Amino acid sequence: MARGRFAPSPTGPLHAGSLVAALGSYLAARQQGGQWWVRIEDVDTPRTVPGAADAILRALERCALFWDGPVLYQSRRTERYQAALESLVAAGLAYPCTCTRRELAHQPRARDGGPIYPGTCRGGVSRPDRPRAMRFRVAATSVEFQDALQGLYRQHLASEVGDFVLRRADGLFAYQLAVVVDDADQGITQVVRGSDLLDSTPRQIDLQRRLGLPTPAYAHLPVALDACGEKLSKQTHAPPLDERQPSPALVAALRFLGQQPPPELERETPALIVSWALAHWRLERVPTVLARGWEHPPVHEPISLASMQSSNAVDNTQTMN
Ligand code: GLU
Ligand code: ZN
């Protein structure tokens, strides 16, 4: 059975951009008769805003987006991440690194803005007196996958990203490791999320393969940008959804996802809007570009998410459907 998920970071309330990811992942999973789970990505505890996780969950309920299973909190899963890290260390796939941000400041930049790690500590740490981060020894070959919306995506991790951090020197586990362990533990078969994470996916697939975990199907949605072209996110202080008016926000999110809700739907209850959306959802209508504002999107060839997972699972013996 298909199982999707929504994995917000509790750095602020649900806003228009995260509603798009919530709704898109919900509809893609439910329309296949699948489940939809929620995970609170509070692995980066210093960035967690008290009360934000509850506010997000209540906002989902007000939008009639009800989830299955228990809500998973990353902050309670340190032991699982530690076990995964240890298995990578045992396999020679993770190693300690004592390089500081300043020492890496002059390295070429990866697409996500971080320095491409030059492998300084691959053969042993440069400064044994310092606290150690743990890095993943990335594949020497390219990682490629089929995204249900964005098509074939390929990345040569060694030259485009470099060995990336799994556990920071301050002891916090990195998102890339946590998300891979959690998607597997929650039995997630399809990941539908913002295309700002497209570039993280090859790292996650490389980790999945090295940890012997299945690779889910992926669909990366357009990311909502505000009038200035900034990603609408909690960090850029996007306004939270108007709590009293979830219906217009849901209809706007549907339009952003390329669906064609009739204007009068705005006056209906969230439950009715969601059931309309389930009856009419077409993944192939979702625009593939990073849309600016809430413009009307182009239409492209349909690909079914259900067929994607097996095509991505080349290195895996486990299939979930
Ligand atoms: N926690 C991430 C965010 O809120 C999403 C991670 C994911 O969907 O894999 O941007
Ligand atoms: Zn180093």
Side-chain angles (χ1 to χ4, degrees):
M1 187 205 270
R3 184 178 291 169
R5 50 55 157 201
F6 174 52
S9 306
T11 53
L14 193 74
H15 55 80
S18 44
L19 179 61
V20 166
L23 186 61
S25 59
Y26 176 98
L27 293 171
R30 289 273 193 247
Q31 214 204 21
Q32 295 171 54
Q35 294 189 338
W36 185 66
W37 289 41
V38 172
R39 172 166 82 234
I40 299 294
E41 299 215 315
D42 55 356
V43 70
D44 192 351
T45 38
R47 284 187 48 224
T48 298
V49 173
D54 280 343
I56 290 170
L57 296 175
R58 298 296 83 76
L60 291 175
E61 287 171 339
R62 269 194 302 277
C63 289
L65 298 174
F66 299 103
W67 56 88
D68 301 291
V71 175
L72 199 73
Y73 288 80
Q74 290 188 327
S75 55
R76 299 175 196 164
R77 291 179 43 79
T78 307
E79 280 166 27
R80 289 290 299 133
Y81 308 146
Q82 184 64 34
L85 176 62
E86 278 164 19
S87 77
L88 291 169
V89 171
L93 291 165
Y95 62 89
C97 163
T98 55
C99 300
T100 61
R101 199 167 298 187
R102 189 183 316 160
E103 285 166 351
L104 299 173
H106 300 295
Q107 292 305 317
R109 300 275 133 186
R111 215 164 300 164
D112 68 4
I116 298 176
Y117 185 66
T120 320
C121 301
R122 266 193 168 202
V125 293
S126 56
R127 291 283 303 269
D129 54 310
R130 289 186 187 155
R132 295 155 178 229
M134 293 300 290
R135 285 186 186 269
F136 178 59
R137 202 181 285 272
V138 299
T141 52
S142 291
V143 173
E144 63 177 50
F145 72 101
Q146 278 288 345
D147 187 278
L149 284 167
Q150 312 293 338
L152 185 69
Y153 192 78
R154 181 186 296 127
Q155 203 173 48
H156 187 258
L157 288 170
S159 60
E160 294 179 58
V161 179
D163 293 345
F164 56 89
V165 171
L166 299 172
R167 195 182 63 202
R168 299 175 358 188
D170 63 8
L172 284 179
F173 284 93
Y175 156 73
Q176 306 291 0
L177 179 64
V179 74
V180 161
V181 171
D182 293 346
D183 281 338
D185 281 357
Q186 289 190 296
I188 301 303
T189 67
Q190 55 179 51
V191 172
V192 177
R193 60 184 176 190
S195 55
D196 53 321
L197 292 163
L198 182 63
D199 168 65
S200 284
T201 307
R203 272 172 268 186
Q204 294 171 16
I205 291 176
D206 195 12
L207 272 175
Q208 287 154 3
R209 291 178 178 168
R210 300 306 202 156
L211 287 166
L213 302 174
T215 291
Y218 287 96
H220 286 86
L221 303 171
V223 172
L225 303 178
D226 66 17
C228 310
E230 291 266 336
K231 183 189 155 202
L232 262 187
S233 74
K234 290 158 278 198
Q235 291 95 299
T236 57
H237 306 290
L241 293 184
D242 184 342
E243 312 246 313
R244 291 145 304 166
Q245 296 207 356
S247 293
L250 273 169
V251 171
L254 277 175
R255 281 207 188 97
F256 184 79
L257 287 168
Q259 313 301 303
Q260 291 148 9
E264 60 278 11
L265 205 59
E266 284 195 9
R267 292 191 295 275
E268 302 294 348
T269 59
L272 202 129
I273 295 170
V274 169
S275 69
W276 180 93
L278 270 177
H280 296 89
W281 172 251
R282 302 255 312 268
L283 182 69
E284 65 272 19
R285 289 209 175 118
V286 176
T288 57
V289 288
L290 278 182
R292 183 169 282 270
W294 300 77
E295 282 156 28
H296 201 70
V299 173
H300 59 92
E301 289 304 306
I303 317 174
S304 116
L305 252 184
S307 69
M308 306 286 318
Q309 200 204 352
S310 40
S311 74
N312 283 335
V314 283
D315 278 11
N316 291 303
T317 42
Q318 244 173 310
T319 5
M320 310 286 294
N321 295 356

